[in-house]
Amino acid sequence: MRGSHANEGCEQKQHFIEEISIPLTHHNHRRCHSFKAPLFHRTMPKSKRARLVHLTKVSKRATRDHKSAFIQEVREAVDNHDHLFLFSFENMRSNKFKDIRMHFRSTGDAMDIPSKIMLGKNKLVQIALGKTPEDEYSDNLRHVSKEVTASVGLLFTSRPRAEVEAFFSDYSEPDFAREGFVAPRDVIVTNEMLFNHPVSMLEQQFRKLGLPVKIDTGKIVLLDGKGEYRLCKEGETLSPEKCKLLTHFGIKLSEFRVKLVCHWSAGEFEMLD
C-alpha cells in the first residue's frame, strides 16, 4: 500500500514539473548533452526597488554642505542685524512660538530688515559664533556661544533693544501642564464638569486615567455619590495621567514664556539673566 501511494505522489508531482532541455556544449563542440531541470528551481530576478541601501554607502558630502550652509547663515545674520539676543524656553509649543515669529516679521517698511529666529543645532551655532578669542566670528561672540546649551534660540534683529526686551517681559500664554510640572494650586473636578463629556468613550478613558467615575442615568458621575473630586493639590508633581485629565477639562496650569538670557551688539556682550 505504501508503495502504491508513493507512486501516485510521484505521478502527481510530475504534472507540476516543466522539463527544460538545456544544451551543454564543450569547448571542442564535439559532444553535446542535455539535462532536465524542474521549473521551480529557477528564481526571478530581484526588483531594484526591493534592494536595501546601507547608510554607510551614502555620500556624506550633502551633510557637510548642509552644515556649512547653516554656519554661513548664522554669520550672515550677525552681519545683517544690529542685535543678537539669546533666549531660553521650556515646553516648546509650535503654535505658541508662531506668535513670536509673526511679531518679529518685517513691518512692511522698505528700510526695515526682517528679524531672524533660529532654533536648534546648538553645536553648529557654537562653531558659527566661535568658542575662543582666536576663532570667534566677531568680538565677544564666544560669550554668546558659551550660553548656547539645552533649549535655547537666537534672535537676530535691528529693532530697538528696549522694544525687544519689553515684548518678552510681557509675553506670557496659558498652557497645558506636562509631566513633571508642579501644580500651583488645587484643582477640583465636579459632577457638573463631567456632564459635559460624552458617555460612550470618555467614561472608560476616565477610569483608565484614575478618575473614580461611573455611569448613572446616562451621565458620567463620581463614585459614592460624591459631588467633587480633588484632581491635584498645590505643590504636587503631576503624572502623565493627571496631565491628560487636566487637558480633557481644558484646565491650563502652566505658562509658556520665553526668557532673554544675553545680548550682543557691535562687539559688546551683556548677560540679561
Side-chain angles (χ1 to χ4, degrees):
M1 295 295 291
R2 290 185 178 179
S4 60
H5 287 299
N7 292 334
E8 292 178 0
C10 293
E11 293 176 358
Q12 291 178 357
K13 290 182 180 179
Q14 290 178 357
H15 291 291
F16 295 95
I17 298 177
E18 176 184 348
E19 296 183 352
I20 305 173
S21 179
I22 302 176
L24 295 179
T25 307
H26 295 284
H27 63 278
N28 55 13
H29 302 282
R30 293 180 179 178
R31 300 175 60 185
C32 180
H33 299 279
S34 63
F35 72 97
K36 297 179 180 180
L39 180 63
F40 54 77
H41 284 173
R42 295 185 299 173
T43 57
M44 296 296 292
K46 292 183 178 179
S47 172
K48 292 183 178 181
R49 297 182 179 180
R51 294 178 182 176
L52 295 177
V53 178
H54 297 283
L55 294 179
T56 53
K57 296 183 179 180
V58 177
S59 173
K60 296 182 179 179
R61 181 176 180 180
T63 302
R64 289 195 299 267
D65 292 345
H66 178 73
K67 291 180 179 180
S68 299
F70 180 82
I71 292 173
Q72 185 63 27
E73 184 181 3
V74 173
R75 292 177 175 177
E76 288 179 355
V78 172
D79 295 333
N80 296 334
H81 298 85
D82 296 334
H83 302 280
L84 166 58
F85 290 90
L86 181 74
F87 58 86
S88 63
F89 54 86
E90 294 181 1
N91 300 326
M92 168 59 73
R93 305 277 190 174
S94 58
N95 59 329
K96 302 291 183 183
F97 207 83
K98 182 180 179 181
D99 298 337
I100 298 178
R101 290 186 181 275
M102 293 294 295
H103 177 82
F104 284 98
R105 280 188 175 180
S106 175
T107 59
D109 187 353
M111 300 299 294
D112 181 28
I113 301 177
S115 301
K116 190 177 188 65
I117 295 176
M118 305 185 75
L119 300 174
K121 302 181 181 179
N122 289 354
K123 291 184 178 180
L124 290 181
V125 169
Q126 290 177 335
I127 294 174
L129 300 179
K131 301 179 182 180
T132 65
E134 292 76 22
D135 66 6
E136 62 184 4
Y137 183 66
S138 187
D139 292 342
N140 292 317
L141 275 178
R142 68 184 186 277
H143 299 300
V144 180
S145 179
K146 183 180 178 181
E147 302 299 325
V148 179
T149 58
S151 300
V152 297
L154 300 176
L155 168 62
F156 300 92
T157 184
S158 294
R159 296 190 184 185
R161 173 178 174 177
E163 176 185 333
V164 176
E165 293 181 350
F167 171 80
F168 283 104
S169 64
D170 297 335
Y171 182 81
S172 177
E173 288 289 336
D175 199 4
F176 292 109
R178 294 187 177 183
E179 177 186 0
F181 181 77
V182 178
R185 59 181 176 86
D186 291 359
V187 175
I188 304 298
V189 175
T190 64
N191 282 324
E192 288 73 18
M193 296 169 65
L194 293 170
F195 292 162
N196 298 326
H197 294 82
V199 176
S200 57
M201 179 179 66
L202 289 182
E203 184 264 342
Q204 291 185 356
Q205 190 170 355
F206 281 154
R207 289 182 182 178
K208 290 180 180 179
L209 295 176
L211 193 64
V213 295
K214 66 176 182 178
I215 299 178
D216 185 17
T217 62
K219 295 182 179 179
I220 302 177
V221 297
L222 294 169
L223 291 177
D224 303 327
K226 294 181 179 180
E228 60 182 34
Y229 172 80
R230 187 171 68 177
L231 182 57
C232 65
K233 61 182 179 180
E234 181 180 356
E236 178 184 353
T237 301
L238 298 179
S239 64
E241 292 76 16
K242 291 193 174 183
C243 290
K244 290 180 180 180
L245 286 171
L246 290 170
T247 302
H248 277 305
F249 293 111
I251 301 174
K252 299 180 179 181
L253 296 181
S254 178
E255 287 186 347
F256 175 73
R257 299 183 65 90
V258 177
K259 182 180 180 181
L260 295 178
V261 178
C262 62
H263 169 257
W264 179 92
S265 179
E268 298 294 328
F269 171 81
E270 181 182 355
M271 292 294 299
L272 301 178
D273 189 4

